[in-house]
Amino acid sequence: MPLRLQGTALKCVRAIAESAIGGGIVWRQMAGDYGVTAIQHLPDTARAPLEAIPRPIHARPPRTWGEPSDAPPPSLRVTGRTIRAAYAAGTTTPSEVLVSIREHIQAAQYGDTAHSPFTDMNWDHAIQMAAESTKRWEKGCPLGPLDGVPVPVKDEHDMVGLVTRGGTSYLQDPAQKNSFCVEQLIQAGALVYAKTHATEWGMCPLGTNDNFPMPRNLYSSHHVPGGSSTGSALAVGLGLGPVAVGSDGGGSIRIPSAMNGLFGIKPSFIRVGRTGDIFANGSMSHIGPIGQSTEDLVDFLEVTGANPDPNDPISDWNPRTPRGDALVAQWRQALGRGIQGARIGILAEEWEDADPQVASVCRTALDALAADGAELVELSMPLSRHAPGTGVLVIAGETMGGLIDDYQQHANQMSQSLRLLLACLQRATAQEYFRACQTRARLRLEMAKQFHNVDLIAIPTINTPTPKWPLEQGSTPLADGPGTIAACRHNFLGNLTGLPAGSVPVGTIDNLPVGLQFIADAWDEASVFAAMAHCERMQMTTLPKPNGFFAWDALGVAP
């Protein structure tokens, strides 16, 4: 039975895990709790030959249901589109927006989140960028959809002059170059003004990190916010940018999006180049956006994901056609495609394992899509139940490979939960790791088979309602085994396969948001966008503004 450990209890278990005798015992317990042990006993049919490089498997040509249109759904939120409309009308300017955001942050108006979503700011550069953007808007020649739009960045990306901490307390050297993603945003005129909290080395999906005072859930000071793209989600949720940079190795975009009623997509693996991203080691981490609408996700990927990163060799995996403007047009047309004629797969094993309350909210949303013309197709893929155990071992193994020196040199400066995890992972054997990789290879083939029959697969984003994390616990060290398992249960499937997967808000449980996840074939982000946009069109995604929301209306910006 996985345990929720905090404070002294966590420190004691961590000390046992780091000891010569106790380490093996703790690892065996953890391996059983997280499904790692079960993978070792699967039959040969649950494995496939090892892949040198797990490139996304493209099952069939892109889907074309409905009538393509570039008309985005109406939104009751403050999105990039509404901000651009205010700039075009002269109601406000990028410079005025940035000044107001700075005043809001200085006043620490964070609502129920209680703490700042930011780790560091770069006001001088952002002020200069805003002034240049204001001039372009005055001349009627903006650079694109993000010109003058505030875009916070998760603290794993290099930004010149700022420290890239990745949730750590010991990294201190300012970056000398921008990451590929950040540079693309700057060249597009985006106001890249701040870096946002991440959990340490991205290894906590709940949003806890005892290195910093971490913010709570957007709608409750006593619940987790989700991670590891914690600050990016909350910055967007508070209205401090319609879209922000996140990353996702096991749900780290989709989990905080779902928990805070936002939109997020993990694109196909390496859709966005990873140069200058310190979380980019291995084959699981994907860069992507968290936004206030589906259209905001498209705006972000137009700037960062339409062409490969010349310094990231495997980013050339992106299909050679379409690229650039043609690919962006495909994504934008999907916003108006609707849902009629789409075949949406329902993986039985994923729905059977979900909490009944979560399953009910998500199934109600799917039934509404079916009433609007989608076809729901029942599917079965028993091996999907082993995706969490496979994902834990693969991503943790890759992370451990990148942190061997850090663990030896900086263990005493690491959070208690990360130290516990790394101490356990040292006990994993090569046989355990490679069997997980073989199971991953089989999962990837089986998922490709599913997409010969359906256009999308729909599953809940998170397995249970959002876990509690009382504000009065402050930064008390916490390792929540049950919460971690629940958060990642339905998300590793997308990372192991490299397929695009997006989360869209579709309801609430006890006033906390619930997310529904759509997975598509490799490189078919357009189909994910089409489904998410139609959920918006049907007004499933409407939620109240959270406490502490930035006063866009005072600047003349309104939906």
Side-chain angles (χ1 to χ4, degrees):
M1 171 71 78
L3 299 176
R4 181 183 172 104
L5 301 169
Q6 61 189 74
T8 302
L10 172 56
K11 292 179 181 178
C12 289
V13 173
R14 185 268 305 159
I16 293 171
E18 290 180 337
S19 69
I21 297 176
I25 297 172
V26 178
W27 165 240
R28 292 271 67 85
Q29 179 66 45
M30 179 181 173
D33 292 342
Y34 284 79
V36 172
T37 301
I39 296 168
Q40 311 306 310
H41 303 293
L42 292 174
D44 290 344
T45 54
R47 302 189 182 97
L50 287 174
E51 303 165 298
I53 304 176
R55 180 174 182 165
I57 300 173
H58 194 185
R60 67 173 190 164
R63 284 57 179 168
T64 55
W65 75 79
E67 294 296 327
S69 165
D70 59 1
S75 178
L76 299 177
R77 301 175 179 229
V78 176
T79 67
R81 179 170 20 126
T82 57
I83 295 170
R84 292 192 298 271
Y87 291 163
T91 306
T92 190
T93 68
S95 292
E96 291 171 348
V97 164
L98 190 66
V99 167
S100 294
I101 287 177
R102 186 176 187 177
E103 291 173 350
H104 184 97
I105 292 170
Q106 289 173 337
Q109 298 176 22
Y110 300 127
D112 288 329
T113 67
H115 299 298
S116 172
F118 304 112
T119 62
D120 211 348
M121 326 296 294
N122 193 351
W123 292 119
D124 290 344
H125 181 258
I127 288 169
Q128 178 184 344
M129 292 287 294
E132 294 171 357
S133 178
T134 296
K135 292 178 182 178
R136 289 192 292 271
W137 278 102
E138 288 173 348
K139 294 176 181 178
C141 56
L143 297 175
L146 295 183
D147 198 343
V149 174
V151 181
V153 175
K154 184 177 179 181
D155 187 20
E156 66 184 73
H157 286 272
D158 288 342
M159 288 175 61
V160 172
L162 300 184
V163 177
T164 306
R165 294 183 177 86
T168 69
S169 64
Y170 57 86
L171 296 179
Q172 300 293 335
D173 295 331
Q176 302 301 308
K177 294 178 63 177
N178 292 319
S179 74
F180 171 79
C181 181
V182 168
E183 188 62 28
Q184 298 305 296
L185 292 168
I186 290 173
Q187 293 301 318
L191 306 185
V192 181
Y193 69 93
K195 301 187 83 171
T196 62
H197 275 298
T199 61
E200 192 168 20
W201 288 108
M203 295 305 289
C204 176
L206 299 180
T208 67
N209 182 355
D210 40 283
N211 290 324
F212 301 99
M214 293 293 282
R216 284 351 191 228
N217 189 280
L218 197 63
Y219 290 95
S220 170
S221 292
H222 299 290
H223 289 78
V224 299
S228 63
S229 305
T230 307
S232 289
L234 296 180
V236 170
L238 289 169
L240 301 172
V243 68
V245 182
S247 69
D248 191 312
S252 291
I253 286 172
R254 292 160 288 163
I255 292 167
S257 295
M259 288 183 176
N260 295 284
L262 302 168
F263 298 71
I265 186 168
K266 177 200 75 60
S268 300
F269 182 61
I270 213 63
R271 175 66 84 183
V272 181
R274 303 180 301 171
T275 301
D277 171 8
I278 65 169
F279 286 1
N281 291 328
S283 62
M284 297 280 281
S285 183
H286 303 55
I287 298 169
I290 297 173
Q292 285 281 1
S293 71
T294 311
E295 186 180 12
D296 289 313
L297 309 184
V298 174
D299 290 346
F300 178 91
L301 287 182
E302 173 177 338
V303 169
T304 64
N307 290 294
D309 174 357
N311 296 311
D312 189 343
I314 60 174
S315 77
D316 202 47
W317 285 358
N318 280 333
R320 295 191 179 279
T321 56
R323 274 189 182 170
D325 293 344
L327 179 59
V328 173
Q330 184 184 93
W331 291 337
R332 294 209 175 275
Q333 288 171 358
L335 295 172
R337 192 197 296 176
I339 205 69
Q340 186 168 5
R343 289 171 59 82
I344 302 177
I346 311 296
L347 273 181
E349 292 77 12
E350 300 300 294
W351 290 85
E352 289 168 1
D353 289 356
D355 179 276
Q357 293 183 88
V358 172
S360 176
V361 171
C362 292
R363 190 62 195 237
T364 297
L366 287 178
D367 289 342
L369 294 179
D372 232 28
E375 180 183 355
L376 304 184
V377 181
E378 296 295 331
L379 303 174
S380 179
M381 195 175 87
L383 194 60
S384 72
R385 284 196 165 109
H386 294 284
T390 304
V392 164
L393 196 51
V394 172
I395 191 173
E398 291 181 348
T399 300
M400 185 68 203
L403 293 182
I404 291 174
D405 291 337
D406 289 69
Y407 185 50
Q408 291 177 345
Q409 298 170 19
H410 300 288
N412 290 335
Q413 297 166 278
M414 290 180 169
S415 63
Q416 294 293 319
S417 58
L418 183 63
R419 285 182 67 178
L420 172 60
L421 177 62
L422 296 181
C424 289
L425 290 175
Q426 290 190 117
R427 305 287 178 157
T429 67
Q431 175 177 297
E432 288 173 323
Y433 176 76
F434 286 117
R435 278 188 172 168
C437 291
Q438 289 175 324
T439 301
R440 177 188 191 178
R442 177 58 63 192
L443 273 167
R444 287 157 45 74
L445 292 170
E446 291 200 10
M447 278 291 281
K449 287 181 182 178
Q450 304 297 333
F451 284 108
H452 286 285
N453 188 39
V454 297
D455 303 314
L456 292 162
I457 290 174
I459 56 180
T461 307
I462 300 171
N463 191 258
T464 63
T466 301
K468 292 182 178 180
W469 187 25
L471 185 60
E472 57 267 21
Q473 290 183 1
S475 296
T476 301
L478 174 67
D480 185 349
T484 296
I485 292 170
C488 295
R489 168 63 184 87
H490 305 299
N491 284 286
F492 271 124
L493 198 56
N495 297 89
L496 290 165
T497 57
L499 302 180
S503 180
V504 59
V506 292
T508 61
I509 296 174
D510 296 331
N511 298 317
L512 292 172
V514 174
L516 174 64
Q517 184 178 178
F518 292 102
I519 305 175
D521 192 9
W523 315 113
D524 189 19
E525 288 86 358
S527 290
V528 177
F529 291 144
M532 294 174 71
H534 201 70
C535 289
E536 286 187 84
R537 192 171 290 109
M538 297 184 73
Q539 299 186 3
M540 298 178 192
T541 62
T542 303
L543 291 168
K545 286 183 181 178
N547 294 328
F549 191 82
F550 178 65
W552 283 102
D553 52 347
L555 293 165
V557 180

